[in-house]
Amino acid sequence: MPKWYEETTNDLDVVLSSRIRLARNLKNYNFSVRLDDEHAKELVGTITGCVKNLGEKSSQPFKVCHMNTMNDVEKASFVECHTITPLFAEKKQDTALLYSEDESISIMVNEEDHIQIQVFHAGMDMYHALEKADEIDDILSEAVSYAFDDKFGYLTTSPGNVGTGLKASYMVFLPALTMAGKIQRLADEVGKYGIEIRGIYGEGTKSLGYIYQISNQKTLGCSEAEIIDNLNQIVKQTIIQERKRREYLISMNGDEIEDKVYRSYGVLKYAKRLNTVDAMMLLAQLKLGIDGGLIRLKEKFDVHTLMMQIQPANLQKMLGKNITGTERDRYRAEFLNQKMADIVP
C-alpha cells in the first residue's frame, strides 16, 4: 500500500507534510518519568487491547508492534519515516506502536506521555490531519479515562503541552532561504508568535537536505483552531518568502544554480558511492531545479519519497539484511542511479 508521503497535493514545492500530534495521559497512572515497569506493561496491554475497536470505528486496519521485540534497524526505519520519535525508539520500558497500513496514523504507547497520537498528511492540509487525529482521540477516549483538569485541560508530562496537548508541525523545504543565510532570522521572527523552527527529526536535530520542522511551542490557553490558524499564517508567509527568494536566486544566479542542479543530477545518475548527507543534498538541489523549472525529467520524480527511502535503516529494510556503512553507500548510489529518469532536452 502506498505510504502517506507518496501522495500528490498542492504546495509540495515548499510544504512536504502536515503533522498533528496529541499528547494524552491516563488517570490513575503516574506520568512516564515515574511509571514503574509493572504499570507500564499494564498500560500497554490496555491500549493495544483497543486496536480492534479502533480499526472498526475508523474504517481502516491497524497493526500493533511491541517495540521490545523489534531490532534496531526496524526501529530506526520507523524513525526515518517519522512514524515514531527518536525518544520512543530508545525507551527501555515496555512500549507499543499502533499504526495504519499507510503509516499516516501512529499511536505511541509510553513515549513521553502514555499516548501520543500522530497523524500525517502530505502537503499543507493541517485541518485534515486534525480531523483524523480527533477521530482517533474520540475512539480511544471511549475505552480509557484521560487525565484532564477543568482549569488546565489535558495534563501532560511536559508543561509546554498542557492544555490541548496538541503539537502541529509542518515539514518544510527551504533551500533558497538557507542559501541566503535567512533561517536564523526567520526563527527569531516566528519565535515572537510562539512558533519554533527545528531540525528534520524535531527537537535537538539538524536540518538535512534543507528540510525543517515549523511547529507551535505551547498549547495552554489556546484552542486547537487558534493554534493551527496561527501556525498557518506563519507558514503561508514562509512559503511566500521562500518562493520570492528562489525567484531572486534564479534571476540573479540562474547559470550557477542551473549548473548545480545538472551536476547533482549527474552524480545521482552515475555515482558509485553516496553517503546519506551527500545524497540528501544532491536530491535537494535536484528538487530545487525541478520545482524551479530548470530541469525536466521524462518520468514522475518524487524527491521526498526518495529522501525517505535512502536513509540507512530504510535501505537495509529494503535489502532485508544488515550491511556495513560502505555497503550502504554503494547500494544507495546504485538505487539512486536506477531512479534517475532521463532528462527532457
Side-chain angles (χ1 to χ4, degrees):
M1 183 178 183
K3 303 301 183 185
W4 65 266
Y5 47 80
E6 296 175 336
E7 297 175 13
T8 300
T9 186
N10 298 326
D11 299 315
L12 286 174
D13 61 316
V14 180
V15 182
L16 301 178
S17 67
S18 309
R19 185 202 71 173
I20 288 289
R21 189 195 70 197
L22 297 178
R24 300 289 186 259
N25 287 282
L26 274 58
K27 284 200 303 187
N28 304 321
Y29 283 93
N30 288 331
F31 285 159
S32 61
V33 290
R34 300 193 64 181
L35 189 67
D36 61 42
D37 291 344
E38 180 183 350
H39 286 101
K41 186 174 182 180
E42 181 182 304
L43 194 148
V44 166
T46 298
I47 303 303
T48 55
C50 300
V51 68
K52 182 178 179 181
N53 187 49
L54 191 62
E56 290 174 351
K57 292 195 173 183
S58 66
S59 301
Q60 56 187 318
F62 277 76
K63 298 180 180 180
V64 177
C65 290
H66 289 271
M67 302 304 290
N68 56 10
T69 67
M70 298 176 65
N71 60 45
D72 290 341
V73 169
E74 290 173 319
K75 292 179 183 178
S77 175
F78 276 125
V79 172
E80 291 169 356
C81 292
H82 307 282
T83 308
I84 65 173
T85 62
L87 171 65
F88 190 64
E90 294 169 1
K91 283 206 72 170
K92 303 302 181 185
Q93 207 168 41
D94 202 23
T95 57
L97 172 69
L98 288 69
Y99 65 100
S100 60
E101 195 171 3
D102 66 353
E103 297 183 20
S104 64
I105 304 171
S106 67
I107 302 167
M108 292 175 281
V109 185
N110 276 349
E111 200 247 18
E112 181 181 55
D113 294 284
H114 298 156
I115 299 172
Q116 294 267 11
I117 301 168
Q118 284 195 144
V119 176
F120 290 93
H121 197 277
M124 189 172 180
D125 195 353
M126 195 64 78
Y127 275 106
H128 182 95
L130 177 62
E131 182 181 1
K132 179 57 69 172
D134 282 341
E135 178 189 354
I136 299 301
D137 187 35
D138 289 343
I139 295 170
L140 288 176
S141 68
E142 294 173 0
V144 298
S145 297
Y146 290 148
F148 184 85
D149 182 86
D150 290 337
K151 180 179 179 180
F152 294 109
Y154 291 103
L155 304 180
T156 57
T157 301
S158 170
N161 292 327
V162 171
T164 61
L166 181 147
K167 180 75 78 173
S169 301
Y170 282 113
M171 191 82 72
V172 292
F173 177 62
L174 305 176
L177 290 174
T178 305
M179 291 178 193
K182 303 288 187 181
I183 296 299
Q184 186 56 55
R185 181 178 175 184
L186 178 64
D188 292 341
E189 284 295 320
V190 302
K192 298 174 185 177
Y193 301 94
I195 304 297
E196 61 183 343
I197 298 180
R198 304 182 296 175
I200 187 170
Y201 295 113
E203 189 174 356
T205 66
K206 296 180 180 180
S207 169
L208 194 59
Y210 304 132
I211 296 175
Y212 304 85
Q213 286 188 31
I214 301 182
S215 59
N216 63 298
Q217 288 181 304
K218 60 181 181 179
T219 68
L220 185 62
C222 303
S223 68
E224 292 178 340
E226 288 171 335
I227 290 170
I228 293 176
D229 286 345
N230 182 43
L231 181 61
N232 280 349
Q233 290 302 313
I234 295 295
V235 172
K236 285 176 181 177
Q237 288 300 313
T238 303
I239 292 172
I240 292 171
Q241 289 186 40
E242 172 64 24
R243 287 175 177 165
K244 283 184 177 179
R245 180 56 60 171
R246 290 185 195 183
E247 290 176 4
Y248 177 79
L249 280 176
I250 292 172
S251 66
M252 298 299 293
N253 303 292
D255 290 344
E256 181 182 342
I257 299 296
E258 186 178 43
D259 183 62
K260 286 183 178 180
V261 170
Y262 275 83
R263 284 175 183 270
S264 296
Y265 172 85
V267 176
L268 290 165
K269 180 73 172 176
Y270 298 108
K272 295 303 178 185
R273 285 175 57 183
L274 284 171
N275 62 38
T276 306
V277 174
D278 288 346
M280 286 289 287
M281 182 56 68
L282 292 165
L283 285 170
Q285 296 277 15
L286 184 57
K287 177 172 169 54
L288 175 62
I290 293 172
D291 293 340
L294 298 175
I295 188 171
R296 290 175 57 206
L297 304 183
K298 290 184 177 180
E299 298 174 14
K300 181 184 174 183
F301 194 76
D302 187 346
V303 176
H304 187 210
T305 297
L306 281 180
M307 286 178 164
M308 296 279 201
Q309 292 173 331
I310 64 163
Q311 299 305 311
N314 279 332
L315 281 177
Q316 293 178 92
K317 192 174 178 181
M318 281 192 286
L319 280 172
K321 62 179 180 180
N322 292 351
I323 54 177
T324 65
T326 300
E327 290 174 316
R328 284 200 303 271
D329 292 349
R330 189 176 297 115
Y331 179 69
R332 182 180 293 108
E334 181 182 336
F335 175 75
L336 287 168
N337 295 165
Q338 296 170 354
K339 292 293 183 180
M340 291 300 112
D342 291 337
I343 296 173
V344 175

